[in-house]
Amino acid sequence: MKVKKAVIPAAGLGTRMLPATKTVPKEMLPIVDKPAIEYIVEEAVASGIEDILIITNRGKSALDDYFDYAPEIEGALLRSGKRAEFELVRRSAQMANVFFIRQKETKGLGHAVLQARHFVGDEPFAVLLGDDIMMGEVPVTRQLIDAAERYGAAALGVQRCTSEEISKYSSVEITELEERIYRVTDMNEKPSPKEAFSEFAILGRYVLTPGVFDILENTPPGYGGEIQLTDGIRELCQVSPIVAVDFDARRYDTGNLPGFLEAMVDFALESPQVGAWMRDFLIEKVRGF
Ligand code: UTP
């Protein structure tokens, strides 16, 4: 199984980040000096993905523009001899083959993924949620693809969380196959701590097989009245193998304020431009408490 295509659902309304997301898509909010979406596309490319479909909706055309050339800015930079800045601006337009489609109604993540059917065709594909940014040695999507290829299965990125946290995510019923890799036998969306199958939650990364599309076509609205990807994958696991990968990376949910701020601070600390400054600034702040 070779995974060469990825889908990035970015059509959500971003209500947890209002008012910033009233006119700016949350995927375009900067984490230090790049919009969040660029980190996601970088992860896909570093994982061996060649073609990427971003699912957007009305009011998110800034995303399309970001992966296009910007002749006015680029021309001005070249004319003033700012070659390095030019390269930075050009980069996003040349990172991968990036395609766009709109989800015309915000009917949930499962419905968003369904919009990728024609792009994906009959191949396995990766799904990277637009607001989950990962920091780790090996790209998380690569970790999932490796497991998917080894087991000839779909793969879900999971991590342990507390019983209070699990009700924000989907929990998985699992049995261990090898260190950090499990066979998935069931799952449920936003369970109460009692309903949760395990302490492992699905967190923003998937490798799916194309059989999921027939299922999603017929998946009724579930939790919150939305067509849930988890409900589709739950059915998929009855008919084809799925593994869960306890991925090795730190995850930032940049779709909410604490996660967004954590990412901002950690990525700033890693930045060659502002890392040392950020460290001194934080030390000074902490001394003041
Ligand atoms: P979220 O649960 O984070 O929803 O979606 P949201 O609308 O983006 O944000 P809030 O909760 O209102 O603040 C998880 C992922 O699914 C995508 C989102 O873009 C995000 O990547 N999504 C969700 C869609 O693409 N379409 C949908 O209809 C719903």
Side-chain angles (χ1 to χ4, degrees):
M1 165 195 289
K2 284 272 165 271
V3 184
K4 292 288 166 201
K5 290 182 179 172
V7 175
I8 303 179
L13 299 177
T15 54
R16 286 168 297 157
M17 291 294 277
L18 284 168
T21 47
K22 184 176 171 185
T23 54
V24 178
K26 70 175 166 183
E27 298 77 13
M28 288 305 295
L29 296 177
I31 308 292
V32 188
D33 55 354
K34 288 187 293 195
I37 190 77
E38 190 161 341
Y39 294 91
I40 310 279
V41 171
E42 276 173 355
E43 180 190 320
V45 171
S47 302
I49 298 293
E50 291 165 2
D51 296 329
I52 298 172
L53 178 71
I54 303 182
I55 320 263
T56 62
N57 67 12
R58 258 160 265 113
K60 293 213 175 192
S61 49
L63 279 160
D64 312 34
D65 292 342
Y66 192 73
F67 291 95
D68 194 356
Y69 291 155
E72 278 193 5
I73 302 174
E74 291 171 5
L77 291 172
L78 283 181
R79 279 192 300 279
S80 50
K82 295 185 171 162
R83 185 83 212 175
E85 287 83 348
F86 165 81
E87 299 292 347
L88 271 181
V89 172
R90 244 308 142 94
R91 221 174 76 92
S92 54
Q94 295 177 325
M95 289 167 80
N97 303 316
V98 182
F99 303 83
F100 292 88
I101 193 166
R102 284 188 178 189
Q103 181 190 16
K104 297 187 188 76
E105 292 171 281
T106 312
K107 286 184 169 178
L109 178 57
H111 181 258
V113 170
L114 190 52
Q115 311 310 306
R117 184 168 204 163
H118 291 288
F119 165 80
V120 166
D122 202 21
E123 295 174 38
F125 63 104
V127 177
L128 295 84
L129 296 196
D131 45 8
D132 278 320
I133 297 185
M134 311 290 184
M135 192 195 265
E137 285 280 301
V138 180
V140 174
T141 298
R142 185 70 245 167
Q143 297 178 38
L144 263 62
I145 292 174
D146 287 345
E149 288 180 352
R150 206 157 62 252
Y151 286 95
L156 313 176
V158 300
Q159 278 189 335
R160 272 202 172 82
C161 64
T162 64
S163 59
E164 291 81 54
E165 283 171 338
I166 198 86
S167 52
K168 290 193 284 180
Y169 306 112
S170 297
S171 82
V172 281
E173 184 181 65
I174 46 171
T175 46
E176 189 167 5
L177 291 166
E178 60 177 282
E179 209 188 341
R180 302 189 86 116
I181 301 189
Y182 304 83
R183 178 162 306 285
V184 177
T185 43
D186 208 347
M187 67 197 71
N188 51 8
E189 175 78 27
K190 299 198 172 54
S192 67
K194 268 197 188 149
E195 292 162 343
F197 286 116
S198 69
E199 63 209 327
F200 282 98
I202 306 174
L203 296 177
R205 295 293 183 271
Y206 312 77
V207 170
L208 298 176
T209 41
V212 76
F213 291 120
D214 274 343
I215 296 171
L216 287 172
E217 288 275 13
N218 298 302
T219 301
Y223 185 90
E226 297 195 333
I227 298 173
Q228 296 290 350
L229 183 60
T230 301
D231 292 343
I233 302 175
R234 183 179 198 197
E235 235 181 288
L236 187 68
C237 86
Q238 315 302 324
V239 290
S240 59
I242 302 187
V243 295
V245 180
D246 177 10
F247 61 82
D248 185 14
R250 163 108 205 223
R251 164 188 174 260
Y252 300 88
D253 176 5
T254 60
N256 71 56
L257 207 47
F260 178 78
L261 294 175
E262 280 171 15
M264 189 74 92
V265 173
D266 275 1
F267 282 77
L269 286 168
E270 294 290 321
S271 155
Q273 283 86 32
V274 294
W277 169 84
M278 187 71 184
R279 194 179 143 273
D280 292 347
F281 176 74
L282 288 177
I283 290 170
E284 200 185 304
K285 279 275 156 206
V286 171
R287 277 207 194 108
F289 285 129

Coordinates of all heavy atoms in Angstrom, one line a residue, residues 9-16 26-27 103 106-109 112 129-131, ligand 1:
P9 N -9.1 18.6 5.9 CA -10.4 19.3 6.1 C -10.2 20.6 6.8 O -9.6 20.6 7.9 CB -11.2 18.3 6.9 CG -10.4 17.0 6.9 CD -9.0 17.4 6.7
A10 N -10.6 21.7 6.2 CA -10.4 23.0 6.8 C -11.7 23.9 6.6 O -11.6 25.1 6.4 CB -9.2 23.7 6.2
A11 N -12.8 23.2 6.7 CA -14.1 23.9 6.3 C -14.9 24.2 7.6 O -16.0 24.7 7.5 CB -14.9 23.1 5.4
G12 N -14.3 23.9 8.8 CA -15.1 24.2 10.0 C -15.3 25.7 10.2 O -14.6 26.5 9.6
L13 N -16.2 26.0 11.1 CA -16.5 27.5 11.3 C -15.5 28.1 12.3 O -15.4 29.4 12.4 CB -17.9 27.6 11.8 CG -19.0 27.1 10.9 CD1 -20.4 27.2 11.5 CD2 -18.9 27.8 9.5
G14 N -14.8 27.4 13.1 CA -13.8 27.9 14.0 C -14.4 28.8 15.1 O -13.9 29.8 15.5
T15 N -15.6 28.3 15.6 CA -16.3 29.2 16.6 C -15.5 29.4 17.9 O -15.8 30.3 18.6 CB -17.7 28.6 16.9 OG1 -17.5 27.3 17.3 CG2 -18.6 28.7 15.7
R16 N -14.6 28.4 18.2 CA -13.9 28.6 19.5 C -12.8 29.7 19.4 O -12.2 30.0 20.4 CB -13.2 27.2 19.9 CG -14.2 26.2 20.4 CD -13.6 24.8 20.4 NE -13.2 24.4 19.1 CZ -12.2 23.4 18.9 NH1 -11.6 22.9 19.9 NH2 -11.9 23.1 17.7
K26 N -9.3 30.0 10.6 CA -8.4 29.7 11.7 C -7.1 29.1 11.2 O -6.1 29.2 11.8 CB -9.1 28.8 12.8 CG -9.4 27.4 12.4 CD -10.0 26.7 13.6 CE -10.6 25.4 13.1 NZ -11.2 24.6 14.2
E27 N -7.2 28.4 10.1 CA -6.0 27.8 9.5 C -5.0 28.8 9.0 O -3.8 28.5 8.7 CB -6.4 26.9 8.3 CG -7.3 25.7 8.7 CD -8.7 26.0 8.9 OE1 -9.1 27.2 8.5 OE2 -9.5 25.2 9.4
Q103 N -16.7 22.5 0.7 CA -17.8 21.8 1.4 C -18.9 22.8 1.4 O -18.8 23.8 2.2 CB -17.4 21.3 2.8 CG -18.4 20.5 3.5 CD -18.1 20.3 5.0 OE1 -17.2 21.0 5.6 NE2 -18.8 19.4 5.6
T106 N -21.8 23.1 6.1 CA -21.0 22.6 7.2 C -21.7 21.5 7.9 O -22.3 21.7 8.9 CB -20.7 23.8 8.1 OG1 -20.2 24.9 7.3 CG2 -19.6 23.5 9.1
K107 N -21.6 20.3 7.3 CA -22.4 19.2 7.9 C -21.5 18.2 8.7 O -22.0 17.1 9.0 CB -23.0 18.4 6.8 CG -24.2 19.1 6.1 CD -24.7 18.2 5.1 CE -26.0 18.6 4.5 NZ -26.5 17.6 3.5
G108 N -20.3 18.6 9.0 CA -19.5 17.7 9.9 C -18.2 17.2 9.2 O -18.1 17.2 7.9
L109 N -17.3 16.7 10.0 CA -16.0 16.2 9.4 C -16.2 15.0 8.5 O -15.5 15.0 7.4 CB -15.1 15.8 10.6 CG -13.8 15.2 10.3 CD1 -12.9 16.2 9.5 CD2 -13.0 14.9 11.6
A112 N -17.2 16.4 5.3 CA -16.1 17.1 4.7 C -15.2 16.1 3.9 O -14.8 16.3 2.8 CB -15.3 17.9 5.7
L129 N -6.1 16.9 10.1 CA -7.0 18.0 10.5 C -6.2 19.3 10.5 O -5.1 19.4 11.1 CB -7.6 17.7 11.9 CG -8.5 16.5 11.9 CD1 -9.4 16.5 13.1 CD2 -9.4 16.3 10.7
G130 N -6.9 20.3 10.0 CA -6.2 21.6 9.8 C -5.8 22.3 11.0 O -5.0 23.3 11.0
D131 N -6.4 22.0 12.2 CA -6.0 22.7 13.4 C -5.2 21.9 14.4 O -4.9 22.4 15.5 CB -7.2 23.4 14.1 CG -8.4 22.4 14.2 OD1 -8.2 21.2 13.9 OD2 -9.5 22.9 14.6
Ligands
UTP1 P1 -13.8 21.2 14.8 O1 -14.5 20.2 15.7 O2 -12.5 21.8 15.3 O3 -14.8 22.3 14.4 O4 -13.5 20.4 13.5 P2 -14.6 23.7 13.8 O5 -15.8 24.2 13.2 O6 -13.4 23.7 12.9 O7 -14.2 24.6 15.1 P3 -15.1 25.1 16.3 O8 -15.4 23.8 17.1 O9 -16.3 25.7 15.7 O10 -14.2 26.1 17.0 C1 -12.5 19.4 13.3 C2 -12.0 19.5 11.9 O11 -13.0 19.2 11.0 C3 -13.1 20.2 10.0 C4 -12.5 21.5 10.7 O12 -12.1 22.4 9.8 C5 -11.4 20.9 11.6 O13 -10.2 20.7 10.8 N1 -14.5 20.3 9.7 C6 -15.5 20.3 10.6 C7 -14.9 20.5 8.3 O14 -14.0 20.5 7.4 N2 -16.2 20.6 8.0 C8 -17.2 20.5 8.9 O15 -18.4 20.5 8.6 C9 -16.8 20.4 10.3

